[in-house]
Amino acid sequence: MAMTLNDDQTMLRDSARDFMASEAPVTHFRKFRDMGCKDGFSHDLWKQFAEMGFTGILIPEADGGMGMGHIEAGIVLEEIGRNLSPSPFLSTSVAAVEALKLADKGMRERWFPGILAGETVIGLAIDEGVKHRPEKIACKAERSGNGFKLSGHKQFVLQGTSSDMLIVAARTAGAAGETDGLTLFAVEKGAAGMSMEAARLVDSAMAAHVTLDGIQVDADAVIGEVDGGWSVLGKLLDAGRVGAAAEMVGVGSGAMDMTFEYLKTRKQFDRVIGEFQALQHRAAHLYGEMEGARSIVLKAQSLMDDGHAKAELYVAAAKAKAGLACNLAVREGVQMHGGIGMTDEYDIGLYMKRDRSLNEFFGDAYYHADRVATMNGY
């Protein structure tokens, strides 16, 4: 593939860039952070996402969606990252939709219309520890009547308290550490036996610690096959990973652009600091790292859309590379801003906080670097 966007994708990028800059800039993020919003995002903005067609990008045309791919979803996510626009787009319209595409017709008809309308939010109840280790899922799903009884704990469930449904990964067979025996369930909000504790993350996004105490679900709540949930979970996670990588490219690019502008205007010793060669070298290095991250993310998105056998490998590489490049961008940004970079008055620190959260979502850079090495036989 050509490592560039085609005309339609360029139009989508321009549209998403204008929309985020006007409707959900950093000032919008600050507003919802400072008001202590319990959801961490605007439901009115979520409906505007739907009006723009963003929420249905990955939903197949047969189900009423746009029938586009991960490249297009990534275009929107990059602009979300550039503006720190708070929304449930990554968890709901990207990761959850990827799993629901493998659900039966009844479940798709139950949840896709609400996502398309910007009225439904879906949380992802996957991780159970402080780090992302999906193969270590221990949450139990025991057969009960014509369905299952779910028991266990889930940590850092994105948009958990504001979700209408949780996709829960639970073990119907095997033991923690095994990939066989996992099953995914759609558990609706308010299910008897579910309790949540809201958690505000370092970037002010909202998540939840969820306890499942013998929740009863029918057999039709299963997404995919019983005991065969690892393949569905893999699709969900890879969609979330490449989506998070795209958003990190946006976060890193936003931080980089802000820093470069500061280098052009800040004066020290009667000279613009961007004239100092040491800072020019660091800026050039950062630009190259961000372009490298953008390229590998685009490659991973393309392989995902093509269903290529190496898509999983490239997604892992993209999440690792984007994580390292974005972290470099925010660290260099704070350092080149100097002392003011540590103050809340300047936006650069907000980008650093978002980078910290995105790096952990769906596995950090070191987790995925290890996966790349393993998949290459090292």
Side-chain angles (χ1 to χ4, degrees):
M1 64 163 286
M3 299 300 288
T4 57
L5 302 180
N6 62 33
D7 290 343
D8 289 340
Q9 291 163 348
T10 300
M11 289 177 61
L12 174 62
R13 181 199 64 192
D14 293 343
S15 176
R17 181 166 295 178
D18 291 344
F19 175 80
M20 298 301 169
S22 63
E23 301 299 324
V26 179
T27 52
H28 172 87
F29 163 79
R30 283 185 176 275
K31 174 185 175 181
F32 277 82
R33 182 200 66 170
D34 294 345
M35 68 188 293
C37 176
K38 65 179 181 62
D39 294 329
F41 68 92
S42 166
H43 288 271
D44 289 338
L45 178 65
W46 187 226
K47 290 181 179 179
Q48 286 181 273
F49 268 55
E51 293 167 3
M52 293 292 294
F54 298 155
T55 59
I57 281 179
L58 286 179
I59 295 177
E61 289 184 271
D63 291 308
M66 303 290 288
M68 295 181 177
H70 290 281
I71 293 177
E72 288 79 11
I75 288 170
V76 175
L77 281 161
E78 184 172 339
E79 298 310 316
I80 287 174
R82 189 185 303 275
N83 292 277
L84 304 182
S85 308
S87 81
F89 183 81
L90 177 60
S91 61
T92 299
S93 294
V94 178
V97 162
E98 194 67 17
L100 289 173
K101 286 195 292 187
L102 300 174
D104 60 34
K105 182 178 180 181
M107 189 176 294
R108 297 197 309 274
E109 290 178 345
R110 169 71 179 87
W111 296 109
F112 279 166
I115 296 173
L116 287 166
E119 297 173 349
T120 294
V121 174
I122 297 179
L124 309 175
I126 310 297
D127 291 321
E128 299 177 7
V130 295
K131 302 293 282 188
H132 177 72
R133 298 294 185 270
E135 68 280 359
K136 293 185 178 181
I137 290 170
C139 177
K140 291 184 179 181
E142 301 172 314
R143 289 193 177 274
S144 175
N146 66 341
F148 296 84
K149 183 170 65 174
L150 278 57
S151 300
H153 301 276
K154 296 292 182 177
Q155 304 292 332
F156 303 109
V157 178
L158 297 179
Q159 276 86 44
T161 55
S162 56
S163 62
D164 300 287
M165 181 265 278
L166 296 182
I167 293 180
V168 178
R171 188 164 292 284
T172 45
E178 299 176 0
T179 55
D180 292 335
L182 290 174
T183 305
L184 265 60
F185 297 90
V187 181
E188 295 197 32
K189 177 181 180 180
M194 180 190 296
S195 60
M196 295 189 186
E197 178 187 353
R200 192 173 296 276
L201 305 181
V202 66
D203 62 339
S204 298
M206 295 303 298
H209 303 303
V210 179
T211 297
L212 311 172
D213 186 10
I215 293 179
Q216 187 74 38
V217 295
D218 294 333
D220 58 9
V222 173
I223 302 174
E225 300 294 330
V226 175
D227 295 342
W230 184 254
S231 61
V232 182
L233 181 59
K235 295 285 188 182
L236 180 157
L237 292 177
D238 278 347
R241 288 161 178 165
V242 79
E247 187 172 343
M248 282 193 286
V249 169
V251 171
S253 297
M256 180 181 70
D257 292 346
M258 185 184 306
T259 302
F260 287 0
E261 187 61 31
Y262 186 75
L263 294 180
K264 296 175 184 177
T265 58
R266 169 67 168 146
K267 288 187 177 181
Q268 189 71 33
F269 305 111
D270 297 322
R271 295 175 62 185
V272 174
I273 62 174
E275 294 179 2
F276 293 110
Q277 192 175 59
L279 295 183
Q280 291 175 353
H281 287 171
R282 289 167 66 179
H285 174 233
L286 173 57
Y287 181 83
E289 291 298 301
M290 288 307 307
E291 286 302 299
R294 178 176 282 107
S295 295
I296 196 168
V297 169
L298 183 58
K299 177 67 173 179
Q301 291 165 340
S302 176
L303 294 180
M304 284 277 288
D305 290 338
D306 293 342
H308 196 281
K310 288 190 175 181
E312 183 180 7
L313 170 64
Y314 275 84
V315 167
K319 184 64 165 68
K321 178 62 177 179
L324 295 173
C326 182
N327 185 248
L328 177 66
V330 297
R331 285 190 293 107
E332 288 285 54
V334 169
Q335 290 177 19
M336 292 188 195
H337 275 76
I340 62 171
M342 297 295 293
T343 66
D344 189 64
E345 180 182 355
Y346 281 74
D347 292 340
I348 188 66
L350 304 179
Y351 284 82
M352 176 172 276
K353 291 177 180 179
R354 184 58 180 165
D355 162 68
R356 287 296 79 212
S357 286
L358 281 170
N359 186 60
E360 294 295 332
F361 295 165
F362 306 107
D364 62 20
Y366 302 106
Y367 172 80
H368 288 291
D370 184 66
R371 293 182 68 233
V372 169
T374 300
M375 283 187 272
N376 279 299
Y378 294 104

